[in-house]
Amino acid sequence: MNQLASLLTAMTQDEKVSLLSGEDFWSVGPVTRLGLNRLKVTDGPNGARGSGSLIGGVTSACFPSGIALGASWDTDLVREIGGALAEETKSKGAHMLLAPTVNIHRSVTNGRNFECYSEDPLLSGLLAAAYIDGLQNNGIGATIKHFAGNESEIERTTVSSEIDERTLREIYLLPFEIAVKASKPWGLMTSYNRLNGIFTSDHQWLITTVLRGEWKYDGIVMSDWFGSHSTVESVNAGLDLEMPGPTRDRGQKLLSAVLAGHVSQQTLDDRASAMLNLIVRTGLHQPSLEPNERADDRPEHRALIRRAGAESAVLLKNTGILPLNRERKIAVIGPNARTAQIMGGGSAQLDAHYRISPWDGLVSALGEEHLGYATGCTNHRFEPVLRGPFEIEFFSNDTFSGEPTHVETMMDARAFWIGRIADDKIDALSFSARMKGLYTAELDGEHRVGIYSAGLSKVYLDGQLVSDAWTNWKKGRTFFEEGCDESIGLVQLEAGRQYEVMIEFKTKPYASIGLSGLACGISKPLGDEDIQHAVGVAASADAVVLCVGRNGEWDTEGSDLASIELPGRQNDLIDAISSVNPNTIVVLQTGGPVEMPWIDKVGAVLQAWYPGQEAGNSIADVLIGLREPGGRLPQTFPMRWADNPTHSQDLEIYPGLGGRVRYEEGVFVGYRHYDRHDITPLYPFGFGLGYTTFAVADLEVDDERFERDGVVVVRTTVQNTGNRAGGTVVQLYVGQSHASVSRPPKELKAFRKVTATPNESVALEFNLDPRSFAYFSTAEEKWVVDCGTFTISVGQSSIDLPLSYELTRKSIIEIPLT
Ligand code: BGC
């Protein structure tokens, strides 16, 4: 008997069932009798946060977000990052990282696009495979997520994504299929939503037929947090692990279901075996000391993150002002200049070891004496958090009665409570709390005081109620849709005067995800005079680095964007600054595209995403030319939101209506859509400038085997035609004309990131298999390579494809599913 079988045989029914749900928020309990240790998981994906709540806790290395890695188009780099993340995960005493996220950029407004790689399934799948290899080759399990159809944050815990099978197979399941087959992840997380009416955690076809049956997946399947809804259906569908714990639908309920014959003994054993297999893979059956969580700020991680930030930065426009001339006087302006935007919001967030802002990076690169500064305007979604200290008293009732159960100090007016809190004394879902602190106004005038909470809350200043998220509390788009929208109160304050702040909070029943939290902020809004001041600073400089964009309040799990306009008065600021100084370099930090009405007025645009803790250093390295802008767009940047396939008067198409979101555009997502409708994007998929130029040439296609077995070998060269060393991404697309089903004009089928010195030529070879030419036939339930004419095109973006070659086939190839 092998090790797994003998462990299973030795287990009692209770022990088997205990492996199928979390014990607490982040772990599955040990089976001490058999020497099986606790299994611990952690988020994921741009770092390993550890087991605290989303805020505070032991610090971690913060790596570039998913979309930045998508922009790197660099599987080697992503594999290396996976390796570093394995070290980070170990430093948090965990065995699995809840990553990578491979949902597709369907709508430009999806709040979680920053965490996902791309609008293209092949790019997403290959990067995910590299990431998983990096983790697992170093002993840490990956958990690819969220399977499947979670492309929006609106009502994500209940909505049904209505996606036809061909679209699923060709677009939304494909990144999972590629990564599962290439890298065998140890874990996979189902999504919150329903897929065609059925919760994905109950979805037999998805989990058992496709994932395990066709793709031969041999890892565990876990639910998203509070994303499983049944006992019998989920276990029978193939969902091994209900997370988090303590269990809601398993434990005794599952034991009874087995006794009643609703779940067979074989099924229970299969689920327990999957968990045991994971335990063996992660080494948990060996004696281990439970390590404490520690911050492990390593120089090699710092260097890797700094390099990766530059490798993912996409230079969208350059009239020649970049790289910056170091001798000149530079004005650094904008809301993102001195605030380091290093990551998006939600479960991917962590407490980073440190955060380098663009200002910090430019000061180190150029010296402060060459720089001027102005903020110009703000771009926050919520009022900036009130800094403490605050003393907080917790009561184990919801009426602030009796003596507090626990008292502690918080450093700011922001909290995220899960599981048991305050040294285990309080249930995060049932308590009241009172926070007290002081605020000294810096300016005279009207201030905005904001509060939002998952739970009920009120803010008082000097005993006066100023902001109320209690009386008319209504579900909004904060705290994963468990919180209300921000409630704002206006107050006149005097500069230099100290005010007493008191916040009252009490929990309320949760809707889908068991958590509580609040955030309270204050500011005096910036106005015309602040833009004018920035214009003055810009006018007296040789060039301007204008740092604009969004932040993790906008690009976040739990809510989508209402538009892709730059928030606040940032468009006005760019317009005003570029009117007085055409040498304006816009450094954009967002989790996706924005409309750029000012594009013709500025000298350069660098899209820097959320690149991790070294943000400002990576950005400065690119601006001064120490490194190439190595990124290419993993998502089309449309001219306007209205050009996106999901923009529709029909709310069922987006963001969903009556519990349904219809993926009406089918396979025409991203560039497949813009190509089909001949819509010129602002910047196409795959696009990005370097500081040198490249040309592709010498296309050679070996199609000898094409008719027989659908295999084609493509050779080409790429030459550095400029005068400095640099890199590019060579992209290969395939399209079929006159297909028997409606197909995208072209689809990415291979790519390679290359670097070369001036004049150097690099020879490339791409091997295409039949799937590179196939569509999914729902009539045949097979992949089919049609007869007819196919075009292979090669170049450096989806609209810059100077080389092409036509192939024809006379017969059909059918590729079975298994
Ligand atoms: C997210 C997952 C995450 C989990 C645990 C959920 O809200 O959707 O991606 O891993 O929380 O934090």
Side-chain angles (χ1 to χ4, degrees):
M1 214 189 277
N2 69 25
Q3 186 184 19
L4 273 185
S6 50
L7 273 171
L8 189 70
T9 312
M11 289 185 102
T12 65
Q13 201 79 330
D14 282 13
E15 285 165 345
K16 289 177 189 171
V17 166
S18 77
L19 291 183
L20 306 187
S21 58
E23 190 177 66
D24 58 27
F25 227 79
W26 304 115
S27 64
V28 178
V31 182
T32 319
R33 189 180 70 86
L34 299 174
L36 306 181
N37 293 315
R38 175 180 301 279
L39 172 86
K40 189 166 147 194
V41 301
T42 182
D43 284 313
N46 48 273
R49 186 182 57 241
S51 63
S53 89
L54 299 191
I55 300 170
V58 180
T59 63
S60 309
C62 182
F63 288 77
S65 318
I67 196 167
L69 298 183
S72 78
W73 292 66
D74 190 337
T75 47
D76 292 338
L77 175 73
V78 172
R79 194 173 302 106
E80 207 179 326
I81 287 177
L85 286 169
E87 293 167 340
E88 276 294 285
T89 308
K90 289 174 193 168
S91 76
K92 300 295 179 285
H95 312 96
M96 289 187 95
L97 191 66
L98 302 174
T101 310
V102 298
N103 297 101
I104 292 287
H105 299 164
R106 172 180 180 244
S107 173
V108 284
T109 52
N110 175 25
R112 227 170 162 179
N113 278 351
F114 79 90
E115 202 182 314
C116 310
Y117 297 123
S118 173
E119 71 187 19
D120 184 80
L122 179 94
L123 179 59
S124 304
L126 292 177
L127 292 174
Y131 182 103
I132 294 165
D133 281 342
L135 278 174
Q136 295 188 172
N137 293 343
N138 292 286
I140 291 297
T143 316
I144 191 168
K145 64 189 186 183
H146 310 85
F147 195 55
N150 178 194
E151 272 73 35
S152 156
E153 293 299 291
I154 308 286
E155 315 252 316
R156 64 170 174 163
T157 53
T158 49
V159 81
S160 174
S161 299
E162 306 283 312
I163 317 178
D164 67 84
E165 187 181 353
R166 177 173 163 221
T167 303
L168 272 174
R169 300 270 191 179
E170 291 187 22
I171 306 285
Y172 297 99
L173 299 189
L174 189 56
F176 292 95
E177 181 185 358
I178 293 172
V180 162
K181 289 181 173 169
S183 302
K184 297 190 171 301
W186 300 351
L188 172 143
M189 188 189 291
T190 53
S191 52
Y192 278 122
N193 53 284
R194 300 168 200 255
L195 178 65
N196 299 324
I198 303 172
F199 277 117
T200 57
S201 49
D202 285 344
H203 216 297
Q204 172 107 28
W205 178 80
L206 200 57
I207 304 174
T208 298
T209 310
V210 175
L211 176 68
R212 290 209 163 102
E214 295 171 15
W215 303 345
K216 312 283 177 241
Y217 176 68
D218 67 356
I220 66 144
V221 180
M222 72 170 80
S223 72
D224 200 341
W225 267 231
F226 301 93
S228 69
H229 305 273
S230 63
T231 305
V232 175
E233 290 84 349
S234 73
V235 174
N236 285 341
L239 187 87
D240 303 305
L241 180 62
E242 175 204 57
M243 284 304 281
T247 186
R248 295 168 307 284
D249 292 315
R250 297 196 167 184
Q252 193 49 50
K253 286 189 193 165
L254 179 52
L255 287 167
S256 310
V258 177
L259 271 179
H262 301 313
V263 171
S264 71
Q265 186 61 41
Q266 183 60 50
T267 301
L268 179 71
D269 286 355
D270 288 349
R271 305 284 84 84
S273 296
M275 290 303 296
L276 283 172
N277 190 22
L278 176 69
I279 286 170
V280 171
R281 281 173 155 169
T282 48
L284 282 168
H285 57 300
Q286 289 154 2
S288 89
L289 295 173
E290 298 248 318
N292 287 326
E293 301 196 1
R294 66 193 150 79
D296 196 6
D297 181 7
R298 301 191 191 189
E300 62 273 25
H301 291 172
R302 291 180 170 218
L304 173 60
I305 293 168
R306 182 168 182 163
R307 170 159 59 91
E311 281 304 322
S312 57
V314 185
L315 184 58
L316 294 173
K317 174 172 181 180
N318 186 11
T319 53
I321 52 171
L322 289 178
L324 280 176
N325 178 336
R326 296 182 188 218
E327 296 312 310
R328 305 180 84 192
K329 172 114 179 93
I330 312 288
V332 185
I333 293 175
N336 285 356
R338 282 193 177 163
T339 308
Q341 302 301 354
I342 68 170
M343 61 193 164
S347 62
Q349 77 194 48
L350 47 79
D351 204 7
H353 294 316
Y354 58 90
R355 301 160 170 249
I356 309 285
S357 69
W359 169 260
D360 301 331
L362 286 165
V363 167
S364 324
L366 301 173
E368 197 165 343
E369 63 284 7
H370 289 109
L371 307 178
Y373 173 78
T375 307
C377 69
T378 55
N379 62 358
H380 53 249
R381 178 176 167 203
F382 305 115
E383 294 306 320
V385 167
L386 264 169
R387 299 295 165 201
F390 289 93
E391 192 187 74
I392 178 162
E393 297 175 339
F394 290 94
F395 302 85
S396 305
N397 51 62
D398 66 0
T399 50
F400 309 92
S401 321
E403 286 300 305
T405 317
H406 178 77
V407 181
E408 66 181 40
T409 302
M410 289 169 55
M411 290 326 288
D412 52 33
R414 209 168 47 127
F416 184 90
W417 292 294
I418 50 175
R420 307 269 328 159
I421 54 172
D423 301 331
D424 229 19
K425 283 186 266 191
I426 287 165
D427 175 356
L429 300 176
S430 171
F431 69 94
S432 55
R434 192 173 281 129
M435 293 166 62
K436 287 184 184 154
L438 296 170
Y439 173 70
T440 307
E442 280 173 25
L443 301 165
D444 279 323
E446 190 173 78
H447 284 61
R448 290 162 61 89
V449 180
I451 188 149
Y452 59 93
S453 48
L456 309 180
S457 59
K458 286 181 186 171
V459 192
Y460 300 82
L461 237 56
D462 278 354
Q464 292 288 321
L465 177 66
V466 290
S467 199
D468 182 353
W470 185 304
T471 315
N472 295 311
W473 189 98
K474 205 165 113 242
K475 178 172 174 274
R477 299 264 161 81
T478 63
F479 288 108
F480 307 94
E481 295 195 323
E482 293 293 337
C484 58
D485 290 332
E486 188 175 33
S487 154
I488 299 282
L490 302 176
V491 276
Q492 292 292 334
L493 301 183
E494 283 167 39
R497 202 179 130 191
Q498 208 172 50
Y499 296 85
E500 269 176 26
V501 182
M502 182 176 80
I503 302 171
E504 287 184 338
F505 174 88
K506 79 169 189 172
T507 53
K508 61 183 285 304
Y510 68 91
S512 305
I513 305 181
L515 57 86
S516 304
L518 67 82
C520 175
I522 190 164
S523 78
K524 177 167 186 292
L526 299 188
D528 287 343
E529 58 293 358
D530 299 280
I531 294 190
Q532 279 325 309
H533 170 66
V535 165
V537 175
S540 64
D542 297 315
V544 183
V545 174
L546 186 44
C547 301
V548 294
R550 297 191 293 251
N551 56 37
E553 295 174 350
W554 300 100
D555 289 299
T556 180
E557 182 177 344
S559 81
D560 280 9
L561 300 162
S563 81
I564 54 167
E565 231 179 81
L566 275 173
R569 298 193 60 192
Q570 296 182 98
N571 281 339
D572 294 344
L573 179 68
I574 303 172
D575 199 55
I577 299 281
S578 54
S579 295
V580 296
N581 196 330
N583 292 333
T584 293
I585 299 143
V586 174
V587 175
L588 200 57
Q589 287 201 263
T590 58
V594 294
E595 289 163 0
M596 303 185 198
W598 32 260
I599 188 67
D600 293 334
K601 293 180 68 180
V602 302
V605 180
L606 181 71
Q607 169 57 264
W609 319 108
Y610 300 120
Q613 65 193 24
E614 287 282 334
N617 285 334
S618 304
I619 290 169
D621 287 349
V622 172
L623 293 180
I624 64 169
L626 199 65
R627 284 190 188 278
E628 277 282 297
R632 301 294 181 264
L633 289 183
Q635 189 188 155
T636 311
F637 275 30
M639 295 218 193
R640 56 191 81 82
W641 160 209
D643 290 345
N644 193 243
T646 59
H647 191 277
S648 170
Q649 295 307 318
D650 181 346
L651 299 183
E652 236 184 64
I653 290 177
Y654 180 83
L657 188 68
R660 281 156 52 89
V661 56
R662 230 167 63 233
Y663 286 39
E664 185 95 332
E665 68 290 347
V667 297
F668 297 94
V669 185
Y671 63 89
R672 291 162 167 83
H673 161 81
Y674 301 102
D675 281 357
R676 179 199 201 188
H677 296 288
D678 245 332
I679 300 169
T680 307
L682 184 56
Y683 293 107
F685 177 76
F687 174 78
L689 302 167
Y691 290 147
T692 181
T693 49
F694 279 85
V696 288
D698 312 322
L699 183 67
E700 222 185 85
V701 178
D702 175 354
D703 56 358
E704 213 188 291
R705 290 173 55 190
F706 187 48
E707 183 66 43
R708 196 175 68 239
D709 53 16
V711 168
V712 172
V713 182
V714 179
R715 295 188 187 88
T716 186
T717 59
V718 58
Q719 187 182 18
N720 183 341
T721 49
N723 48 24
R724 49 179 278 166
T728 189
V729 177
V730 178
Q731 301 157 41
L732 184 157
Y733 296 80
V734 172
Q736 181 186 5
S737 37
H738 313 297
S740 52
V741 292
S742 151
R743 297 192 70 178
K746 61 176 177 290
E747 300 183 89
L748 182 74
K749 294 298 168 186
F751 61 88
R752 195 80 41 81
K753 191 164 193 176
V754 289
T755 52
T757 52
N759 281 323
E760 189 190 356
S761 260
V762 181
L764 301 174
E765 185 175 293
F766 299 105
N767 294 298
L768 303 181
D769 62 7
R771 277 287 293 272
S772 308
F773 301 91
Y775 70 92
F776 186 81
S777 161
T778 36
E780 305 290 328
E781 274 294 302
K782 283 184 182 126
W783 294 93
V784 171
V785 185
D786 241 340
C787 28
T789 305
F790 295 82
T791 306
I792 293 176
S793 24
V794 175
Q796 297 176 78
S797 87
S798 69
I799 63 163
D800 169 22
L801 299 167
L803 307 178
S804 65
Y805 184 91
E806 280 196 354
L807 313 135
T808 43
R809 337 179 5 96
K810 296 194 201 64
S811 59
I812 288 179
I813 300 180
E814 292 188 345
I815 311 164
L817 290 176
T818 44

